Amino acid sequence: MHAVQFADHGDRGVIEYAERPEPSAGRDEVLVDVKAGALNHLDVWTRRGLPGIDLELPHVPGSDAAGVVESVGEGVTRFEPGDRVAVSAGVSCGDCEFCRHGEQSQCVDYYIIGEHVPGVHAEYAAVPEDNLVAVPEGVDWATAAAAPLVFQTAWRMLMARADVRAGESVLVLGASGGVGHAAVQIADFAGAEVVATASTAEKLDYAREVGADHAINYAETDFAAQIDDLTDGRGVDVVVDHVGGETWDDSLKSLAKGGRLVTCGATAGSRPETNVNRVFWNQLSILGSTMATPGEVDDVLSKVWDGTFEVRVRGRLPMSETSRAHELLEDREGFGKVVVVPDSEFDE
């Protein structure tokens, strides 16, 4: 089969679409005939190399994919050949104290398909049964592939960790990205007043289309100052900051007294300075969030499948052009997710 892979860490030039042995399904695994995959910023970081993660090279990236069940291992009970499935990439042990209490994404041995182990950007992928969700007929492959990681992440951030309630105000940074455009829709669904930031007028228009009440161009103005104006100095109840870096201090400035900042990543830098005085004086909560529980995955994907939430796709490319797909993410081109399709399945 052919698969996206890289034999060394580095820039986009290390990516290739090359032959690789076709996997087979283990006892508790499902062999998926992949119809589409989708990129996340995690793929960029994995390609560049993450501290503390020593991958077996060449490595196949990719945490998001969807396709048709080709075969199943003898221990599989939930799926059979011909079923439509999508990958939910978080893997937990099932036995630790957190798993036993239903908090699988806090598992002490938690890992992510595509980051810590080979991923699913290939013609075929062997995936643990527990990491697949059923995809209804009528849901297109791009939607099925692009939804799971970002929508489960945003759902847990807003609904479980930040506990957003109707009537509250929510600021979503980087609303044009995968997690961002999901967070805007989920905050709107929860009944919040949503403020979104993005870097171009076109992206801001898209943010409004998917649920933002207000939109701020962070490339042209200080978003914390704009929040101060919008809220008459009060600030917002919740900030969704998956950017980090230079946004961090302004995110804290944007919060009302007793506000909550929830974060799932740091695409612009993981070690920003924190004004601790602001945190304790304003009694702020800083909440971390990673992926989601299986139940949360089911809850949010059911709303993607029925059309409540929309997956925006900024680009659809053959897997042989995955380097260009990475470029779309790194240069922040477009709004929404980037989808890659096995060359054998690609139809322009």
Side-chain angles (χ1 to χ4, degrees), residues 19-345:
E19 290 188 359
R20 188 177 178 95
E22 183 178 315
S24 58
R27 174 181 171 78
D28 298 313
E29 291 183 326
V30 173
L31 182 66
V32 179
D33 179 359
V34 175
K35 302 300 182 183
L39 268 71
N40 299 283
H41 274 283
L42 180 58
D43 296 302
V44 174
W45 297 120
T46 301
R47 185 201 78 218
R48 292 175 181 174
L50 288 163
I53 299 179
D54 186 16
L55 295 175
E56 181 179 343
L57 299 173
H59 177 74
V60 176
S63 303
D64 272 330
V68 177
V69 173
E70 180 77 8
S71 62
V72 301
E74 60 183 11
V76 172
T77 60
R78 293 173 53 229
F79 300 103
E80 59 185 30
D83 286 349
R84 293 162 52 89
V85 295
V87 176
S88 180
V91 183
S92 56
C93 73
D95 293 324
C96 71
E97 60 176 301
F98 300 101
C99 288
R100 289 174 63 84
H101 283 87
E103 289 291 354
Q104 290 88 344
S105 69
Q106 294 183 19
C107 173
V108 296
D109 292 319
Y110 197 75
Y111 65 90
I112 296 176
I113 294 169
E115 179 184 11
H116 304 89
V117 297
V120 290
H121 288 175
E123 291 182 303
Y124 292 92
V127 180
E129 176 185 26
D130 289 344
N131 289 96
L132 292 173
V133 294
V135 177
E137 292 287 344
V139 176
D140 65 88
W141 290 124
T143 295
L149 191 145
V150 296
F151 274 88
Q152 70 174 277
T153 297
W155 182 266
R156 180 171 175 83
M157 289 174 78
L158 287 159
M159 305 302 282
R161 299 293 287 140
D163 190 24
V164 172
R165 297 178 291 276
E168 291 192 309
S169 51
V170 176
L171 169 63
V172 179
L173 302 191
S176 65
V179 169
H181 93 297
V184 167
Q185 295 179 65
I186 293 167
D188 180 54
F189 172 81
E193 181 179 8
V194 185
V195 185
T197 74
S199 60
T200 69
E202 181 181 23
K203 291 177 182 178
L204 294 174
D205 286 342
Y206 278 127
R208 293 185 187 97
E209 285 181 17
V210 298
D213 299 290
H214 311 279
I216 298 171
N217 189 327
Y218 69 78
E220 297 179 352
T221 187
D222 180 336
F223 73 79
Q226 290 294 305
I227 291 296
D228 191 67
D229 289 342
L230 278 171
T231 63
D232 295 324
R234 176 187 182 275
V236 296
D237 298 295
V238 175
V239 173
V240 177
D241 186 341
H242 55 98
V243 181
E246 294 180 358
T247 69
W248 188 256
D249 190 52
D250 280 343
S251 292
L252 293 174
K253 285 182 185 177
S254 299
L255 285 168
K257 290 268 191 172
R260 294 100 74 197
L261 187 155
V262 60
T263 178
C264 68
T267 56
S270 61
R271 295 182 179 273
E273 291 187 3
T274 297
N275 184 337
V276 177
N277 290 343
R278 177 174 287 113
V279 174
F280 71 71
W281 187 253
N282 290 342
Q283 300 186 54
L284 306 179
S285 298
I286 297 175
L287 306 166
S289 189
T290 295
M291 301 292 278
T293 68
E296 290 162 351
V297 173
D298 290 343
D299 288 345
V300 70
L301 290 185
S302 69
K303 298 184 187 311
V304 175
W305 305 154
D306 71 14
T308 300
F309 300 139
E310 177 187 0
V311 181
R312 288 292 179 100
V313 175
R314 70 178 79 177
R316 180 179 176 275
L317 301 166
M319 283 188 179
S320 59
E321 296 181 20
T322 294
S323 60
R324 169 60 180 151
H326 278 235
E327 184 180 19
L328 288 171
L329 287 186
E330 290 179 291
D331 293 349
R332 299 176 183 175
E333 297 181 40
F335 186 96
K337 294 278 287 183
V338 180
V339 171
V340 290
V341 178
D343 285 36
S344 57
E345 299 281 348

